[in-house]
Amino acid sequence: MGHTTIHWRDDKLIIFGGENDQRTFLSDVYFFDVNTATWSRPTVHGIPPRGRARHAVTLHDDKMFVVGGSDGLQVLDDISYLDLRTMTWSRSWTFVARFDHQCWVWEGRLWVFGGLTPEMDRTAELVSLDITHSPNFANLSDGSPGTPLGSGSATGGLMSQFHLQSRPHLQHSQSAPARHQSPGALQQANTASPQITQSNLSGSRPSPTPPGGTASIRFTSGPHIPSEATGTHFHHLCGNILLDFITPANTIRPSETSLSALDLKTLAWRKLADGPDVFVGPGYRWHYLAMAPDSTNAYLLGCANEGPENEYLSDVLPIDLRRFGVTLESSEGSNPNQGLLGSDMASIFDVDPANSRNNTGIAGDFIVRAIRDDACGDDGGEGIWLSASSSVVGTPRDESLDLPNKQNTPSDIPHDAISPPIHVHKLILASRWPHFARMYNARMSEFHLHNLYIPEPYSVVRAFLYYLYTDSIAPSQYCTNISTVAGLLVMSNIYGIPRLRALTVGRLSREMDIESAAIVWERAGVANEDGLRRQASKFCQQYWGRVVRTKAFRGLSRDSLVGLCAEVDLEGRVVSGAFSGDGEGSEGGDGMGGRPPRGRVMLGEEVVDDDEEEGEEEGEMDVN
């Protein structure tokens, strides 16, 4: 019990450590061949680390790193690795004292998060160790050759890990801690803590410090930082995002459960969803989290609170993380770099054949038209856009229509409301856009006219087509603001493009602000993104005094305005606040000259106040 099982090279499981039925802590290694269902014990060279349980392991560059754990007497603070090519143990170095934690390798550093300290305190400290720039992590102590560690990707070296742990037969010193395990792991929520003897710590022979540089960050407070002190936590690394599942437990209320994410690039926490939007309800206990290394599908294993004790794993809850904007790829795609394929594709986007001689790109052979942005009203409000959106995309209402240049557009749309042509290539659209491929293969009218009309704002359609060329919705001349991204969310829903949907949900949930919250709420409703819609609704209620003064709010249709106001519960009421800034809202009296009124919506007994710090600040953060 308390051992770790890690998936290696697709067909082997490696089991290390744990505690046997005689309560002896082990440091042996076993292999299980998945194809032949056979066990083996390899011959291992070098001095193995101390026997332990409830440690963390991770794979990188065919090395199995072992970090921390407990031997029943003390919390171990060492790190070592087993080179799986030579089956040789490295020496041990002093790193960080943790157990019930997790570790992973990302961007050339080994990271440790969470767990319990020797003082039995749950910690939200993030510790990292440079394993790239030291030969000690590339060559073994016995002189066996090793391969230098490159900048490992977030998932490339993290093979699927399964921490199969039972309740250890140890003395209890306090209530059950939450279980922190390695990414890609089948993680169990432990219910017992070992009794640590502090005197043994001082009597232990210290190991040398690791040769790489170490750094630590402690998240102390902030509105989006999840509390590690309560609840049952499961963690998983997905791309460059560390996910924190706070599942229902006896120690917290259902409203305190959530799914949060730490962006390792910016070290900023954000809440992806409230617990009720992720978990089925408080009537279940979840004991394990299972995830494959290259997947956005999570599985919680557990049982009903009122079920028989022998049905410990009777229920499985699948969670599609793409619903919350989580992807394995970069968060929004990257703008193409010069000399790469994406840059070459971008250079041939929207090239007018009339100007092709003066352009390095290759002219397009197909035209797409949309609705002019100024004909859509403010931020896509009522008007031509709403009536045009009801028509079938790409199919004219009057087949006999013969507009100048054979524009394939509905007859009830004024000619001056049609956007300029967007010049594209049939081959690219057919390979990247299944709807276009089906339409073109069916020899519909668009095939003969080489012209397609999409009843969406021009800026959104252009950004959509640019995404098909570059696989990016990063800020650019074609994707200039969050309102455009919100329009892309609707198009991803119309055409069933999962990756575009995940990218847009992720960017909207991260970058939603005062100016865009209302339009994000409206577009999320059109796209049936209930989680994002609830997030935008709460944001609007929290900053109500500011949101109602934005152009996006004023541009909503009447039905959308009524719907947004109806998001407040029956007991909700608006509570006015004091003005701040110079004057009482100069510049036309709209509150935009100084700081707008601190209006907020009170929901029953709970106040959603907008008198908090805005922006990306995450409270205090100590960097050592």
Side-chain angles (χ1 to χ4, degrees):
M1 69 187 82
H3 57 283
T4 53
T5 305
I6 194 165
H7 194 202
W8 181 51
R9 290 187 177 177
D10 297 332
D11 59 355
K12 287 183 174 58
L13 302 178
I14 304 176
I15 291 86
F16 171 74
E19 181 186 4
N20 62 18
D21 53 0
Q22 285 82 38
R23 301 184 181 180
T24 300
F25 289 83
L26 309 172
S27 61
D28 47 10
V29 179
Y30 286 88
F31 283 1
F32 180 77
D33 191 303
V34 177
N35 296 327
T36 63
T38 57
W39 289 95
S40 63
R41 186 173 183 179
T43 301
V44 179
H45 307 285
I47 301 176
R50 187 180 309 177
R52 67 196 62 211
R54 301 167 72 169
H55 48 283
V57 297
T58 188
L59 274 179
H60 182 70
D61 194 38
D62 280 338
K63 294 181 176 67
M64 182 180 72
F65 287 86
V66 179
V67 181
S70 170
D71 62 2
L73 297 176
Q74 58 184 329
V75 177
L76 303 177
D77 62 357
D78 58 344
I79 179 175
S80 59
Y81 66 84
L82 175 65
D83 191 318
L84 298 174
R85 291 164 296 191
T86 62
M87 297 308 298
T88 304
W89 281 105
S90 72
R91 67 179 305 168
S92 293
W93 295 275
T94 299
F95 184 30
V96 59
R98 292 285 187 276
F99 72 101
D100 284 355
H101 55 295
Q102 67 157 6
C103 70
W104 68 93
V105 174
W106 180 76
E107 293 291 339
R109 301 185 71 89
L110 187 144
W111 302 74
V112 172
F113 179 76
L116 282 88
T117 67
E119 293 77 21
M120 296 296 102
D121 295 328
R122 300 184 189 181
T123 177
E125 185 179 21
L126 181 66
V127 184
S128 65
L129 169 65
D130 183 4
I131 60 174
T132 302
H133 301 97
S134 173
N136 292 276
F137 292 116
N139 298 290
L140 299 177
S141 56
D142 64 351
S144 301
T147 301
L149 293 175
S151 297
S153 66
T155 57
L158 289 172
M159 309 303 289
S160 178
Q161 302 175 12
F162 302 87
H163 292 255
L164 307 178
Q165 301 193 357
S166 302
R167 298 184 178 95
H169 299 285
L170 300 172
Q171 294 179 322
H172 298 185
S173 62
Q174 61 178 40
S175 59
R179 183 68 180 117
H180 303 268
Q181 292 286 12
S182 299
L186 176 62
Q187 306 173 14
Q188 177 185 5
N190 275 302
T191 58
S193 299
Q195 179 68 42
I196 305 300
T197 305
Q198 295 293 335
S199 60
N200 290 336
L201 289 174
S202 60
S204 300
R205 181 180 177 182
S207 301
T209 57
T214 62
S216 67
I217 298 175
R218 185 171 63 254
F219 301 95
T220 57
S221 63
H224 304 293
I225 299 175
S227 173
E228 300 294 325
T230 58
T232 302
H233 292 247
F234 299 99
H235 297 98
H236 179 75
L237 186 70
C238 194
N240 63 312
I241 298 296
L242 176 64
L243 300 172
D244 188 343
F245 297 79
I246 306 181
T247 61
N250 295 331
T251 57
I252 61 174
R253 295 173 295 179
S255 60
E256 295 177 307
T257 60
S258 66
L259 171 61
S260 299
L262 172 65
D263 191 323
L264 295 178
K265 292 183 177 180
T266 62
L267 295 177
W269 281 99
R270 61 188 174 94
K271 180 184 287 188
L272 300 180
D274 293 321
D277 297 332
V278 182
F279 313 114
V280 294
Y284 290 85
R285 302 189 308 271
W286 302 113
H287 308 297
Y288 293 91
L289 171 69
M291 291 191 69
D294 298 319
S295 173
T296 55
N297 294 317
Y299 300 90
L300 285 172
L301 288 72
C303 61
N305 288 332
E306 304 301 329
E309 293 185 2
N310 59 350
E311 295 186 359
Y312 191 71
L313 299 177
S314 60
D315 295 87
V316 178
L317 175 63
I319 303 173
D320 183 3
L321 295 172
R322 286 182 177 265
R323 290 173 47 208
F324 312 108
V326 176
T327 64
L328 292 172
E329 304 88 358
S330 58
S331 58
E332 58 197 22
S334 301
N335 284 319
N337 296 321
Q338 190 67 30
L340 300 181
L341 178 61
S343 177
D344 296 335
M345 297 284 284
S347 67
I348 63 176
F349 174 69
D350 197 15
V351 177
D352 189 345
N355 301 325
S356 60
R357 294 182 179 180
N358 300 325
N359 197 303
T360 58
I362 302 176
D365 54 7
F366 196 85
I367 289 176
V368 177
R369 284 184 169 87
I371 306 175
R372 298 180 66 96
D373 289 335
D374 54 7
C376 294
D378 292 339
D379 291 295
E382 292 185 276
I384 293 176
W385 175 68
L386 291 181
S387 61
S389 296
S390 62
S391 64
V392 180
V393 176
T395 302
R397 297 175 183 174
D398 184 358
E399 294 291 348
S400 63
L401 181 67
D402 188 15
L403 293 177
N405 301 322
K406 296 183 179 181
Q407 295 181 20
N408 192 14
T409 55
S411 58
D412 59 347
I413 302 299
H415 181 63
D416 58 359
I418 303 301
S419 73
I422 306 173
H423 301 276
V424 292
H425 301 79
K426 296 190 297 288
L427 178 61
I428 294 177
L429 266 60
S431 61
R432 293 275 292 157
W433 188 8
H435 170 80
F436 183 88
R438 291 190 297 267
M439 178 189 66
Y440 207 76
N441 292 334
R443 300 297 193 269
M444 298 178 67
S445 60
E446 292 80 10
F447 172 83
H448 301 285
L449 298 176
H450 301 283
N451 194 306
L452 173 66
Y453 168 73
I454 301 178
E456 296 289 336
Y458 171 74
S459 58
V460 174
V461 173
R462 203 173 187 215
F464 172 72
L465 296 173
Y466 185 74
Y467 161 79
L468 297 179
Y469 275 69
T470 62
D471 198 47
S472 171
I473 63 167
S476 68
Q477 60 175 322
Y478 302 105
C479 194
T480 57
N481 53 56
I482 294 300
S483 295
T484 300
V485 178
L488 291 176
L489 175 63
V490 175
M491 298 197 69
S492 72
N493 176 265
I494 293 174
Y495 298 119
I497 306 178
R499 171 164 167 77
L500 177 59
R501 173 192 167 279
L503 292 177
T504 53
V505 170
R507 187 172 172 193
L508 291 172
S509 62
R510 286 192 313 274
E511 301 181 23
M512 188 186 332
D513 56 14
I514 300 295
E515 295 296 326
S516 63
I519 199 69
V520 170
W521 175 86
E522 192 270 341
R523 298 293 192 266
V526 174
N528 297 317
E529 290 293 338
D530 295 336
L532 179 63
R533 186 180 175 93
R534 282 190 289 268
Q535 180 184 350
S537 172
K538 292 180 180 179
F539 188 97
C540 290
Q541 294 173 33
Q542 183 176 2
Y543 300 100
W544 187 258
R546 297 179 175 91
V547 169
V548 298
R549 290 166 169 79
T550 62
K551 182 180 178 182
F553 182 87
R554 294 193 298 268
L556 294 178
S557 67
R558 180 182 182 278
D559 290 341
S560 295
L561 285 172
V562 173
L564 180 55
C565 294
E567 290 284 335
V568 181
D569 62 25
L570 293 177
E571 302 300 326
R573 56 195 184 277
V574 176
V575 180
S576 62
F579 282 86
S580 62
D582 297 332
E584 296 185 359
S586 57
E587 312 245 352
D590 61 354
M592 303 305 290
R595 183 180 179 184
R598 292 182 298 172
R600 73 266 196 198
V601 178
M602 180 175 288
L603 306 177
E605 298 299 326
E606 181 181 358
V607 176
V608 181
D609 196 345
D610 71 353
D611 193 24
E612 298 178 1
E613 280 299 315
E614 301 179 43
E616 295 296 329
E617 293 297 326
E618 292 295 334
E620 301 176 14
M621 185 170 65
D622 296 336
V623 181
N624 298 321

